[in-house]
């Protein structure tokens, strides 16, 4: 089984190929580049370096949200275009679930936090001892409210994601449970995790057609809220 993974839900742009539960290739860049300019060349590079015929892949796993509105649209459009051209199914992998999957096997609770601005994060809470078990499904949440929830669970927790450098002071101020932060090679989005979790979902039959796929933004964009006169 061969899964192509794509993640452009944040500043990170990442593409990977997982073949029979082995990471064949991964190209990940966490830098200020435009995903629309980099994602397809990254896919082309890993395909070329591994002599992969895209016709051979079984499915395309894509980080489906939440995340950057622009990034999600680019990732979705790329996956849909490839899916339509290759006549391959897509696998919608929730962004926060894939982030947590970086820490497969962790003994502590795993809590990804993606900065959603204005004291909000996209987050979820997971147990990873025997695969991915969801304690709290991914959602937008106030950071202090999240800390109250974690304190109430009373277990050690590992934080990861681009929200860590933003909200580390809040964590240190409010945490009543032991906590730690994931190291550099595990603390951001990776297409390898999207593809690996996508392979699990593929075996479970959790696929969709390219036409059916759409990103899960979880909330309105700032432009939409401004247009509707909603509070920012």
């Amino acid at each position: 089984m061969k899964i192509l993974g794509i993640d452009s839900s944040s500043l990170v742009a990442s593409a990977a190929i997982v073949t029979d539960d082995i990471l064949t290739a991964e190209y990940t860049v966490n830098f200020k580049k435009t995903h629309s300019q980099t994602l397809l060349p990254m896919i082309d590079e890993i395909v070329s370096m591994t002599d992969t015929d895209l016709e051979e892949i079984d499915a395309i796993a894509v980080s489906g949200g939440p995340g950057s509105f622009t990034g999600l649209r680019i990732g979705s459009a790329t996956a849909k275009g490839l899916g339509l051209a290759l006549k391959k199914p897509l696998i919608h992998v929730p962004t926060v679930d894939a982030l947590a999957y970086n820490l497969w096997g962790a003994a502590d609770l795993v809590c990804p936090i993606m900065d959603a601005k204005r004291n909000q994060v996209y987050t979820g809470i997971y147990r990873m001892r025997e695969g991915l078990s969801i304690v709290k499904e991914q959602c937008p949440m106030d950071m202090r409210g999240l800390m109250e929830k974690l304190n109430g669970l009373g277990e050690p927790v590992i934080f990861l994601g681009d929200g860590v450098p933003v909200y580390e002071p809040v964590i240190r101020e409010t945490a009543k449970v032991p906590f730690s932060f994931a190291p550099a090679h595990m603390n951001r989005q990776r297409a390898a995790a999207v593809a690996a979790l996508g392979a699990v979902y593929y075996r479970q039959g959790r696929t969709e057609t390219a036409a059916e796929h759409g990103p899960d933004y979880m909330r309105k964009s700032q432009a939409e809220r401004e247009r509707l006169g909603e509070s920012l």
Side-chain angles (χ1 to χ4, degrees):
M1 180 173 59
K2 195 181 294 273
I3 305 293
L4 171 67
I6 297 170
D7 195 323
S8 60
S9 60
S10 68
L11 185 63
V12 176
S14 186
I17 298 171
V18 167
T19 307
D20 296 330
D21 295 323
I22 297 171
L23 177 60
T24 309
E26 183 180 25
Y27 192 155
T28 299
V29 176
N30 184 14
F31 196 68
K32 296 179 180 179
K33 295 287 186 180
T34 303
H35 294 338
S36 60
Q37 296 175 323
T38 59
L39 198 56
L40 280 172
M42 290 167 69
I43 294 170
D44 184 63
E45 181 72 13
I46 62 172
V47 166
S48 174
M49 288 291 288
T50 58
D51 293 324
T52 298
D53 181 350
L54 282 175
E55 295 287 349
E56 298 173 357
I57 67 171
D58 294 286
I60 302 161
V62 58
S63 179
S68 156
F69 285 80
T70 300
L72 289 174
R73 283 194 289 267
I74 292 168
S76 175
T78 301
K80 286 168 73 75
L82 288 171
L84 288 168
L86 299 169
K87 296 181 174 59
K88 302 293 182 179
L90 268 57
I91 308 164
H92 182 123
V93 179
T95 301
V96 182
D97 293 10
L99 252 176
Y101 209 62
N102 283 332
L103 271 65
W104 193 99
D108 297 345
L109 289 175
V110 173
C111 183
I113 51 174
M114 298 171 62
D115 183 21
K117 310 300 182 185
R118 297 175 177 82
N119 298 314
Q120 294 276 314
V121 291
Y122 295 121
T123 189
I125 303 173
Y126 305 84
R127 289 192 175 91
M128 302 297 300
R129 295 186 188 95
E130 299 178 3
L132 186 145
S133 175
I134 299 174
V135 177
K136 181 175 180 58
E137 289 189 354
Q138 64 172 25
C139 65
M141 195 170 184
D142 176 80
M143 187 63 204
R144 291 184 180 272
L146 172 62
M147 292 307 300
E148 288 179 11
K149 174 70 174 177
L150 290 168
N151 287 334
L153 291 171
E155 300 178 41
V157 57
I158 305 172
F159 293 97
L160 69 157
D162 62 20
V164 168
V166 179
Y167 296 106
E168 183 176 348
V170 176
I171 294 169
R172 295 191 180 278
E173 174 193 342
T174 60
K176 297 178 181 178
V177 294
F179 64 88
S180 58
F181 302 109
H185 64 297
M186 297 178 174
N187 68 13
R188 292 294 187 274
Q189 284 88 340
R190 292 183 59 182
V194 173
L197 187 53
V200 174
Y201 292 165
Y202 182 79
R203 293 188 188 99
Q204 296 171 351
R206 295 169 58 178
T207 63
E208 59 190 3
T209 67
E212 291 170 332
H213 175 75
D216 181 7
Y217 298 115
M218 285 205 166
R219 68 179 193 180
K220 300 183 184 75
S221 68
Q222 179 176 326
E224 288 176 299
R225 296 198 303 274
E226 288 177 347
R227 179 173 60 81
L228 295 171
E230 296 180 1
S231 172
L232 299 179

